Amino acid sequence: MSAVLTVEELAVAYPGASRPAVSGMSFSVARGEAFGFLGPNGAGKSTTQRVLTLLLRGYSGHVEALGRPLTRWGSSYYERIGVGFELPAHFGKLTARENLAAFASLYSGATQDPLALLERLDLADVADKRVRDFSKGMAMRLNLARALLHRPDVLFLDEPTSGLDPAHAAQVREVIREQVERGCTVFLTTHDMHTADELCDRIAFVAGGRIARLDTPRALKLAFGHRTVTVEHRATGGLQRAEFPLDGLGEEPAFLKLMRTGTVETIHTREASLEDVFTAVTGTAL
């Protein structure tokens, strides 16, 4: 599968900083891939994202996007990418419908029907409401609608589920998944591990300006999990928990004895969560 984004030995140093914000960053993202870019604050995520969206041009290393070195892209790049950052950029005095119409006018090609996008993101009933009166969750959904207006080839999203209730967060994840299914590449930055786990084909954990670990969510969880089985069972004094090695479980005397008591309530393997992986790889708790 061809790479849509290629980053090789990216380095960025801000004037006066004691250390580089990004140092030797290398990775690639395939066409139609949902790529998670996770890490603690100050790890270099935002700097890398600024480079990839042409907001920061002072860097060393080689970066390609959509088959062309990033240095050879001009304003036409924004016809191909969609950007939805955590702090939405809207015209507060305009309505949601007027906002989308204003942004649509900036593109040279065809754009989607604003009302259809608002309906898809459960904003049709506030289409003619001024955006300054929106809640954060409503503004975030409008932010995504704006990023999708021109059917971008690459979608850069930063905390797309921030401020959303569970139902709307699930809806936003579904909309993002639809973009991947049509072949759009999604570059996702978030601290919401559930969203990353559910959406991403691969996840890069960033620490100290470098990629600390990169793999599929399943492989990461298996690598940092424990091959054990936890059994909850009723006992004098209430519910108790016992843990057994997964290997050779069927021949473990204590486990077999417990199974015969009829007091077992739950049995499950212990799998690391992405939160566990995040902490182990970056050395920082969420």
Side-chain angles (χ1 to χ4, degrees):
M1 192 175 293
S2 60
V4 170
L5 300 174
T6 302
V7 176
E8 297 175 349
E9 294 298 321
L10 175 66
V12 179
Y14 292 112
S18 59
R19 61 180 179 82
V22 176
S23 178
M25 182 87 73
S26 297
F27 62 89
S28 64
V29 185
R31 185 175 306 278
E33 179 178 19
F35 186 80
F37 200 63
L38 314 182
N41 294 331
K45 304 188 307 297
S46 295
T47 297
T48 304
Q49 199 173 53
R50 290 190 189 105
V51 169
L52 290 171
T53 55
L54 286 184
L55 297 179
L56 179 62
R57 297 175 183 265
Y59 64 86
S60 62
H62 181 71
V63 183
E64 288 190 8
L66 296 163
R68 184 187 303 178
L70 208 56
T71 52
R72 289 175 50 196
W73 278 104
S75 60
S76 62
Y77 186 55
Y78 296 108
E79 300 279 347
R80 304 285 302 277
I81 69 170
V83 177
F85 289 159
E86 186 179 6
L87 298 177
H90 298 131
F91 300 107
K93 292 184 179 181
L94 299 183
T95 66
R97 192 198 306 261
E98 290 168 341
N99 262 273
L100 293 187
F103 282 109
S105 70
L106 301 176
Y107 296 104
S108 60
T111 56
Q112 298 191 65
D113 175 34
L115 187 57
L117 278 172
L118 293 173
E119 288 177 347
R120 183 66 189 89
L121 288 159
D122 198 23
L123 291 170
D125 58 338
V126 291
D128 298 312
K129 182 176 181 177
R130 290 188 179 184
V131 173
R132 68 184 178 190
D133 298 322
F134 274 23
S135 66
K136 180 179 180 181
M138 292 161 64
M140 289 300 295
R141 282 180 281 143
L142 180 60
N143 201 42
L144 179 58
R146 178 184 56 77
L148 298 177
L149 265 172
H150 56 304
R151 294 185 178 87
D153 296 310
V154 185
L155 189 59
F156 293 94
L157 298 176
D158 185 11
E159 302 293 357
T161 57
S162 177
L164 301 185
D165 59 59
H168 283 124
Q171 181 185 46
V172 163
R173 287 192 292 270
E174 184 178 331
V175 170
I176 296 171
R177 194 177 297 109
E178 290 170 358
Q179 301 310 304
V180 174
E181 289 172 353
R182 74 169 176 83
C184 178
T185 298
V186 175
F187 189 92
L188 174 69
T189 302
T190 184
H191 285 109
D192 181 349
M193 295 297 106
H194 175 66
T195 291
D197 196 1
E198 187 171 320
L199 287 179
C200 294
D201 299 301
R202 290 187 302 150
I203 291 175
F205 282 101
V206 185
R210 294 176 178 271
I211 301 291
R213 192 83 178 225
L214 196 165
D215 214 325
T216 65
R218 174 177 170 77
L220 288 166
K221 289 185 288 185
L222 287 175
F224 288 87
H226 301 274
R227 292 181 58 82
T228 59
V229 170
T230 301
V231 180
E232 290 184 331
H233 60 100
R234 296 186 306 278
T236 304
L239 199 63
Q240 293 189 7
R241 180 176 297 177
E243 192 170 276
F244 303 96
L246 182 59
D247 296 327
L249 184 65
E251 299 175 359
E252 172 64 43
F255 174 77
L256 295 174
K257 181 179 179 180
L258 191 57
M259 291 300 100
R260 289 193 290 266
T261 64
T263 63
V264 173
E265 295 203 350
T266 66
I267 303 175
H268 58 86
T269 56
R270 183 182 174 190
E271 181 185 69
S273 65
L274 280 187
E275 286 90 344
D276 297 328
V277 179
F278 184 102
T279 301
V281 170
T282 68
T284 306
L286 278 168

